[in-house]
Structure formats: structure tokens, C-alpha cells
Amino acid sequence: MNPKLDVLTPHNSQLIFIDHQPQMAFGVQSIDRQVLKNNTVALAKAAKAFNIPTVITTVETQAFSGHTYPELLDVFPGQKILERSSMNSWDDQKVRDALKANGRKKVIVAGLWTEVCNNSFALCAMAEGGYEIYMVADASGGTSKEAHDYAMQRMIQAGVVPVTWQQVMLEWQRDWAHRDTYDAVMAIVREHSGAYGMGVDYAYTMVHKAAERTTGEHEVLAPVPAK
């Protein structure tokens, strides 16, 4: 049986964020960097909603890369950050131990840069750790479109499965009858899913007459034709 035929579930997968740090993001040219952050934080919120074991690893924080996106860290208060010196997260024993402790062979990866940190980790984790790697293409970025695309192609040829953040979240959800995560997923969609989220907001407020998604009251003044 091909394990890649198994859909991702909240019980068979874990997640690792690699080097979502400012200096690494400065070099990203393959995707709009604000979109990249949006997608990364959305993926983190989805993982939190489904209780997915999550690892956050960083490289040379003080000497070069800076601190992980605060929006990402705030999703996981109290989370231990696994600092390393190697560009390859697999080279750090803390990372290997954390992945092993989570006890799940399907590892979802989002990181910077695709062609360096993501690529080396993916190949080594598969070859030496026996993990299945699912690479979140739109929560990762390379130093050029070519760098990202060819790194993705190289990893796919080696057996990595390409995914996107929303695909992962909806695969975890699977059935809208799963009400325990429905509201959390819809909240993430409304905030992070662009036009899809706008459509959900419209349906909620205009069709189902739900309250607007604002933090305060806003008085609407009726039209007054000018004289």
C-alpha cells in the first residue's frame, strides 16, 4: 500500500516550521512576502485548531536571521524554539528528537529558503529518518522563482508531496460535519483566505444575518441627497 495515498489527518501528521525569520524573508523573491507571512500564520492557526504536533526551528537568530515572525510565535505561546547552526535542520539532534517524540511519519514542512533549508531537510529526513515529507509550497519561499520551482521539482522527483496551506487545512477538516473544528476553520478562512474568506463573510452577514466580523460597533448613516 502506498502511504502517499493516505490523506492527511489530525492523527497521522506533524508540522515543522523552518526559519521563518526576517533576514531569511528579506531574500525571498518567489512569492510576495506579505502573502508568505499570511499563509504561514494561517497554516499555524490550522495546526493549532487541529492539535497538530508542531516544531519551530531557527538558524543563527542573534548573528544573522533575526527572530521568528511574532504572529507565528503568538499562535503557540510557550513553544520551545529549536535553534541551530546548520542550514539543514536534520543536522540538529533536538530537531530529530522532537520529530521522533511526535511519533508521526507524515511531516508537513514550511520554511525558508525552499532551495536550501527545506530541500536539505526533506532529502535527509526521508533518506535517514524514513519520514514522508509534504512541502507547503505557498508557505515557503526561495531567493528567486527559479530557485523555488527547481527545488520543488527536485524534491518531488525524490518523493516529496507538494501541497498548499489551505489544502492541508481542508484535508484535516475533511467533513463539514466535524463541528468541533468547523468554527475554527471558518475563522481562519475568513481572515486568511482572500476572496474565499470575503465570500464566507458575505454569506454569514448577508444570507445568514450573522454579526459583522468587527471588534466594535459602527453606525451607518442613511443616504442624504444633496440639495
Side-chain angles (χ1 to χ4, degrees), residues 2-22:
N2 184 353
K4 293 177 184 176
L5 297 179
D6 298 334
V7 298
L8 296 172
T9 76
H11 308 292
N12 69 5
S13 52
Q14 59 174 306
L15 172 63
I16 183 170
F17 289 103
I18 299 176
D19 304 347
H20 282 282
Q21 300 163 267

Side-chain angles (χ1 to χ4, degrees), residues 2-9 11-16 52-53 99 102-109 121 130-134 161 171-172:
N2 184 353
K4 293 177 184 176
L5 297 179
D6 298 334
V7 298
L8 296 172
T9 76
H11 308 292
N12 69 5
S13 52
Q14 59 174 306
L15 172 63
I16 183 170
I52 306 298
L99 295 172
N102 289 334
R104 302 176 181 192
K105 282 299 185 180
K106 294 183 184 296
V107 181
I108 299 162
V109 181
F121 170 78
Y131 289 102
E132 304 165 40
I133 302 298
Y134 294 76
V161 180
E171 205 159 316
W172 284 334

Side-chain angles (χ1 to χ4, degrees), residues 63-190:
F64 179 74
S65 299
H67 297 284
T68 301
Y69 305 151
E71 297 89 347
L72 172 56
L73 294 181
D74 284 347
V75 177
F76 304 104
Q79 176 90 19
K80 292 182 179 179
I81 310 303
L82 307 186
E83 177 78 0
R84 11 169 271 282
S85 60
S86 173
M87 288 179 279
N88 185 350
S89 294
W90 187 253
D91 291 341
D92 193 282
Q93 190 62 45
K94 298 190 306 300
V95 176
R96 296 191 192 189
D97 291 345
L99 295 172
K100 184 177 181 180
N102 289 334
R104 302 176 181 192
K105 282 299 185 180
K106 294 183 184 296
V107 181
I108 299 162
V109 181
L112 307 178
W113 297 323
T114 317
E115 71 272 25
V116 183
C117 305
N118 292 17
N119 178 79
S120 59
F121 170 78
L123 298 180
C124 291
M126 289 192 299
E128 300 176 27
Y131 289 102
E132 304 165 40
I133 302 298
Y134 294 76
M135 190 63 58
V136 189
D138 60 352
S140 302
T143 55
S144 68
K145 186 177 185 302
E146 290 79 10
H148 175 81
D149 290 347
Y150 287 124
M152 290 295 298
Q153 288 184 33
R154 180 184 179 187
M155 289 187 284
I156 291 167
Q157 289 171 7
V160 170
V161 180
V163 292
T164 60
W165 79 264
Q166 192 161 255
Q167 174 188 358
V168 170
M169 179 179 70
L170 296 180
E171 205 159 316
W172 284 334
Q173 176 66 27
R174 185 165 179 163
D175 189 334
W176 294 122
H178 295 159
R179 304 304 297 184
D180 52 335
T181 50
Y182 178 90
D183 288 341
V185 168
M186 283 293 98
I188 295 166
V189 165
R190 293 165 80 184

